[in-house]
Amino acid sequence: MYDFDTIIDRSNTDAIKLEMCGSVFGTSDITPMWVADMDFACPAPIQMTIRERIEHPIYGYTQRTARFQQAIKQWQKKRNNWDIDNRWIEWCPGVVPALSMSVQAYTDKGDGVIIQPPVYPPFYDVVTNNERCLLENHLIEKEGKWTVNIEEFEEMASRPSTKLFILSHPHNPLGHEWTDDELRAMGEICAKHGVVILSDEIHSDIMLYGHKHHPMATMSEEIANCTVTYMAASKTFNIAGFSTSYIIASNSELLEKYRKVQKTLHLESNMLGPLALQAAYQNCEPWLNELLTYIGENVDLVCDYIKRDIPEIKVIKPEATYMLWLDMSGLEIKHDDLKYIIYNRARLGINDGTTFGKRYEKCFRMNVASPTSVVEEAISNLARTIASIRK
């Protein structure tokens, strides 16, 4: 029913994904597969809603009505079987700003904050830029699956100075959807030691191959009481430019502490963001369901190419998100040389793994939320380039 195959020219739209290639990769002649947005048109109901609103010639201050909270409540019930109260919801300008404000709300300078590398680079920034102490609980691979080093996690959480745990759920860049057992283990440890959980679930709608998302806050009442959840329609429906996200917290004390910081900054939501979210959640679920099948096929395509033509690269098929984590250590090529080969010879713009953690210099993150023809050309170029090096 929906067209994900058409290549849409994004030039002259100020898209970061295109405009910053020169400064990031040293060349603009590259297929950009790095920034975590999609190369698909957002669903027609969202486009229609935005067009109808901008036809009115006054673009003044606006408020978020009860329809905003109600759309979120209904979406969470439908997609995640999560019953939430409208009073638990607060708007925010984006998940990363909200995480930074939460660090300020729930900790003091010098307090410890746990993250789980390799992880989304801003997780580092919201801790260190706020002068908190970074605690790195590196994820481990077991039998082709990613999991948590739970013994180290509890040791870190038990320290008196540790106040926060920032969870990426599902995990970016690994695409791991945490199991209920893993969530309960981490959640119970945090509840036991008085550690607040900031659960970034912005990718929770991008579930592949029939996997289901279970919010951290649904694990138990005890875990919900120490959890703040961060979500948005932005990754799901390709509307990140509207800077509209939201948090959910059943613990009124945690919610009010967050609100106090946000109110201090006098942040205003933009006029179009809430409308886009409402249109997405109310009218675009069929589009999303078809998108998930399409992304899954793109993931299969890349994984099959790698298995057949570039077996030196290790990839674990993700359960969620539209990102692939490519471990290229098997190529036995120095980090800088490897980047040159990928960027300048294969003409492929993918994220350097060191931005997700210093020890991941032979890893890269690849975004496959593009038309299949683009994805196939990109991975085939990489395969041909690696083959030429072998010779």
Side-chain angles (χ1 to χ4, degrees):
M1 290 178 59
Y2 305 99
D3 177 16
F4 300 108
D5 288 324
T6 297
I7 299 175
I8 300 173
D9 184 4
R10 296 183 66 178
S11 59
N12 301 314
T13 65
D14 298 324
I16 291 175
K17 196 173 194 174
L18 273 67
E19 303 301 333
M20 290 187 63
C21 282
S23 59
V24 173
F25 304 110
T27 176
S28 297
D29 181 18
I30 201 166
T31 301
M33 306 182 79
W34 60 298
V35 173
D37 63 16
M38 299 188 283
D39 291 326
F40 309 127
C42 78
I46 300 174
Q47 297 182 46
M48 186 182 305
T49 297
I50 298 306
R51 288 194 190 100
E52 289 175 354
R53 177 60 186 88
I54 63 176
E55 284 178 359
H56 191 290
I58 297 178
Y59 310 129
Y61 294 113
T62 56
Q63 64 175 346
R64 292 171 302 283
T65 68
R67 293 190 298 273
F68 178 77
Q69 284 86 0
Q70 193 63 21
I72 293 169
K73 179 178 180 178
Q74 291 173 351
W75 182 258
Q76 291 305 323
K77 177 61 177 177
K78 181 184 294 185
R79 298 298 292 191
N80 298 322
N81 196 31
W82 187 13
D83 290 303
I84 62 174
D85 191 301
N86 286 3
R87 294 171 296 180
W88 301 354
I89 303 169
E90 180 57 71
W91 166 87
C92 58
V95 167
V96 174
L99 289 172
S100 185
M101 287 185 280
S102 298
V103 169
Q104 296 173 32
Y106 307 132
T107 65
D108 296 315
K109 290 182 180 180
D111 284 344
V113 181
I114 302 171
I115 64 171
Q116 295 177 314
V119 75
Y120 184 47
F123 279 25
Y124 293 88
D125 297 336
V126 300
V127 177
T128 58
N129 290 350
N130 282 305
E131 299 180 60
R132 275 57 171 179
C133 181
L134 194 66
L135 304 176
E136 299 184 40
N137 173 228
H138 288 265
L139 299 180
I140 53 179
E141 181 193 340
K142 286 185 177 179
E143 301 176 353
K145 293 280 188 180
W146 292 101
T147 190
V148 61
N149 182 339
I150 199 67
E151 293 79 12
E152 180 185 68
F153 181 86
E154 177 148 31
E155 188 281 321
M156 290 178 172
S158 67
R159 299 175 191 176
S161 60
T162 302
K163 303 300 181 185
L164 285 184
F165 164 43
I166 307 180
L167 172 67
S168 183
H169 175 41
H171 192 276
N172 174 15
L174 301 179
H176 176 56
E177 172 65 14
W178 297 102
T179 67
D180 286 2
D181 287 344
E182 289 171 324
L183 292 172
R184 289 193 187 98
M186 293 185 288
E188 289 170 1
I189 287 170
C190 288
K192 173 183 175 182
H193 296 289
V195 175
V196 176
I197 303 166
L198 311 184
S199 188
D200 174 2
E201 304 186 19
I202 194 170
H203 292 279
S204 60
D205 293 323
I206 312 296
M207 304 303 300
L208 306 178
Y209 312 117
H211 286 278
K212 299 295 183 182
H213 180 73
H214 297 159
M216 170 62 95
T218 64
M219 292 300 102
S220 72
E221 185 174 344
E222 179 186 39
I223 292 171
N225 196 51
C226 65
T227 299
V228 182
T229 304
Y230 304 75
M231 290 179 161
S234 55
K235 303 296 183 185
T236 312
F237 299 101
N238 211 23
I239 53 175
F242 287 124
S243 297
T244 296
S245 303
Y246 56 93
I247 71 169
I248 302 172
S250 58
N251 183 322
S252 59
E253 182 179 354
L254 290 179
L255 190 59
E256 287 309 311
K257 283 183 177 180
Y258 172 84
R259 283 175 170 157
K260 183 177 180 180
V261 175
Q262 184 160 283
K263 287 176 182 178
T264 300
L265 299 174
H266 291 277
L267 297 172
E268 299 283 350
S269 65
N270 68 74
M271 178 186 74
L272 300 177
L275 298 178
L277 177 144
Q278 289 162 212
Y281 281 175
Q282 293 169 350
N283 302 304
C284 300
E285 189 174 33
W287 180 93
L288 170 60
N289 292 336
E290 196 162 313
L291 168 77
L292 298 180
T293 299
Y294 194 90
I295 290 174
E297 291 170 352
N298 279 354
V299 170
D300 290 340
L301 172 69
V302 174
C303 290
D304 290 345
Y305 248 100
I306 289 173
K307 182 178 180 180
R308 183 184 66 243
D309 298 333
I310 333 172
E312 301 94 333
I313 297 178
K314 184 176 183 179
V315 57
I316 296 175
K317 188 175 289 188
E319 297 145 340
T321 81
Y322 43 75
M323 268 79 72
L324 288 171
W325 184 246
L326 308 179
D327 181 348
M328 301 193 187
S329 56
L331 292 170
E332 297 182 353
I333 300 172
K334 292 181 180 179
H335 181 226
D336 288 341
D337 294 337
L338 188 55
K339 288 198 296 181
Y340 180 85
I341 290 167
I342 294 170
Y343 303 159
N344 297 87
R345 295 183 60 180
R347 300 293 179 185
L348 179 56
I350 54 179
N351 299 96
D352 180 354
T354 59
T355 62
F356 298 86
K358 293 179 180 179
R359 67 172 67 175
Y360 304 103
E361 63 176 16
K362 296 294 184 69
C363 297
F364 295 83
R365 187 187 76 167
M366 180 181 185
N367 177 353
V368 297
S370 296
T372 298
S373 60
V374 174
V375 175
E376 184 166 22
E377 181 179 11
I379 193 62
S380 63
N381 283 345
L382 180 62
R384 283 194 297 270
T385 302
I386 298 303
S388 69
I389 293 171
R390 292 195 200 102
K391 296 178 182 179

